[in-house]
Amino acid sequence: MSEVKHLISPLDMSTDEIASLLKLAGDIKKDPKKYSKVCDGMKLATLFYEPSTRTRLSFETAMINLGGNVIGFSDAANSSVAKGETIADTIRVINYFADIIAMRHPKEGAAYVAAQNSNIPVINAGDGGHQHPTQTLTDLNTIFSEKGTLSGLRIAFCGDLKFGRTVHSLIEALVRYPRNSFILVSPPELRVPDYIREDVLKANGCKFTELTKLEDAIPDADILYMTRVQKERFFSEEEYIRMKDFYILNKEKMALASPEMLVLHPLPRVNEIAVEVDEDPRAVYFKQVQYGVYARMALIMTLLGLSL
Ligand code: CP
């Protein structure tokens, strides 16, 4: 089992491995047809215990683009989980059906448990408020393709930095590149967890500031990474309603940004980016979705040890 490569955290890949993956993603983008038979006869299982539009369909598109097939479920209530089957048993069974698994689960650590019980690669497609490493590969691919570098950037994260797993994963990935600095914009109640501040940012000697006002962050940012308030992780509806419209990026705020600043968002958005911003050439959050397909194609090939 130890030989099998999984992706549970962004740190499961070294920066060299990420560089190779981004190069492959770039090659795929240039000539996708060349890769259209690489996974001929292979199957991806998408096991989604939590709602998703982009991640699941992006994985399925990626596998189909590589010439493979897809099985799986998008609602655990229609699987034997509803009868009480454990993750470990489900994964052992799927090992007989598929070559690779992408799994999303509301519990932190669920993908790790899956990997421990699998002879085929397991990809964490999001585990609770913990990690979302393939969103990170999507984000890195977007930043690298649009900016030409992953170093020396000032990255502002705005919104729900407490529960936003995409934020945690992307910060963990970006601290490994030199001279990156971070501006963390959130209401006091939704600041990044202590482990991100202490064990990730401070431990890696990264410059960072924590702010409450988005207007104070925008003029200094090369990248603005907006996030929605994660309704599903709140314990009280009242608290969510109080927080949900704390930040709204609009044309007026975009006027404070440099002409080169890029706006990313893992999506779905709720209210945090006004629709009027979509037409701004600096808004790349829909383009980001396409970069995600190329990144996932490259990841599937990498974990399965496939090349042209
Ligand atoms: N970005 C993202 O994870 O979107 P979905 O929840 O739609 O998969």
Side-chain angles (χ1 to χ4, degrees):
M1 281 190 195
S2 56
E3 312 274 306
V4 182
K5 282 190 187 170
H6 305 287
L7 182 72
I8 306 305
S9 143
L11 302 184
D12 290 341
M13 296 185 90
S14 68
T15 51
D16 283 349
E17 286 171 326
I18 287 177
S20 302
L21 186 141
L22 296 183
K23 184 178 179 315
L24 178 56
D27 286 349
I28 293 170
K29 181 172 184 274
K30 270 188 225 137
D31 190 357
K33 276 214 174 111
K34 211 167 68 180
Y35 293 85
S36 64
K37 301 247 183 294
V38 172
C39 284
D40 195 16
M42 302 186 110
K43 287 191 241 30
L44 163 76
T46 52
L47 312 183
F48 276 62
Y49 296 75
E50 226 189 24
S52 167
T53 296
R54 265 149 303 279
T55 310
R56 185 173 64 83
L57 296 179
S58 175
F59 265 116
E60 296 189 359
T61 303
M63 191 51 158
I64 291 165
N65 287 351
L66 292 169
N69 288 298
V70 178
I71 58 170
F73 55 79
S74 57
D75 178 1
N78 289 331
S79 76
S80 284
V81 174
K83 302 172 203 160
E85 186 164 61
T86 62
I87 291 173
D89 283 0
T90 301
I91 295 295
R92 285 189 192 116
V93 170
I94 300 296
N95 267 241
Y96 288 105
F97 301 152
D99 300 281
I100 185 164
I101 294 169
M103 181 178 122
R104 171 171 289 188
H105 200 283
K107 286 204 177 133
E108 286 82 358
Y112 177 77
V113 172
Q116 293 296 303
N117 288 280
S118 187
N119 289 312
I120 61 173
V122 172
I123 302 169
N124 181 6
D127 60 332
H130 189 213
Q131 298 281 358
H132 193 345
T134 64
Q135 182 64 49
T136 300
L137 295 177
T138 298
D139 302 338
L140 295 178
N141 196 23
T142 307
I143 296 169
F144 185 69
S145 302
E146 296 287 323
K147 287 276 184 201
T149 183
L150 295 173
S151 306
L153 297 168
R154 293 164 300 176
I155 308 110
F157 288 90
C158 176
D160 183 349
L161 309 189
K162 179 179 180 182
F163 296 117
R165 59 193 174 197
T166 63
V167 172
H168 308 157
S169 288
L170 187 54
I171 293 176
E172 286 202 14
L174 284 171
V175 297
R176 298 196 290 176
Y177 298 90
R179 294 174 287 101
N180 284 333
S181 59
F182 300 86
I183 311 167
L184 308 174
V185 187
S186 72
E189 297 86 341
L190 297 179
R191 291 171 69 198
V192 287
D194 285 344
Y195 83 90
I196 295 287
R197 191 178 303 102
E198 301 298 326
D199 305 339
V200 180
L201 290 162
K202 286 188 188 169
N204 283 283
C206 292
K207 278 193 200 160
F208 70 97
T209 51
E210 293 190 86
L211 304 174
T212 311
K213 278 185 76 179
L214 178 55
E215 293 88 326
D216 294 341
I218 288 179
D220 293 326
D222 298 308
I223 306 283
L224 173 59
Y225 194 92
M226 294 295 295
T227 63
R228 82 187 158 93
V229 175
Q230 305 271 305
K231 183 179 184 187
E232 64 276 31
R233 318 254 178 248
F234 272 71
F235 292 113
S236 120
E237 176 84 12
E238 204 177 52
E239 271 296 276
Y240 167 70
I241 289 167
R242 197 166 66 78
M243 298 286 162
K244 74 182 176 69
D245 293 330
F246 208 93
Y247 299 109
I248 299 179
L249 181 65
N250 55 17
K251 270 189 174 173
E252 201 185 328
K253 292 194 185 87
M254 285 298 288
L256 303 171
S258 91
E260 283 81 38
M261 187 193 80
L262 296 180
V263 184
L264 276 71
H265 189 309
L267 303 179
R269 85 170 135 190
V270 186
N271 281 331
E272 59 281 355
I273 303 180
V275 174
E276 65 186 18
V277 177
D278 296 358
E279 67 200 27
D280 190 307
R282 296 169 291 181
V284 295
Y285 33 87
F286 287 110
K287 227 172 163 184
Q288 204 175 334
V289 176
Q290 183 65 62
Y291 283 121
V293 175
Y294 299 130
R296 289 185 175 97
M297 288 170 75
L299 177 66
I300 290 170
M301 286 182 63
T302 302
L303 294 182
L304 289 173
L306 303 171
S307 55
L308 277 180

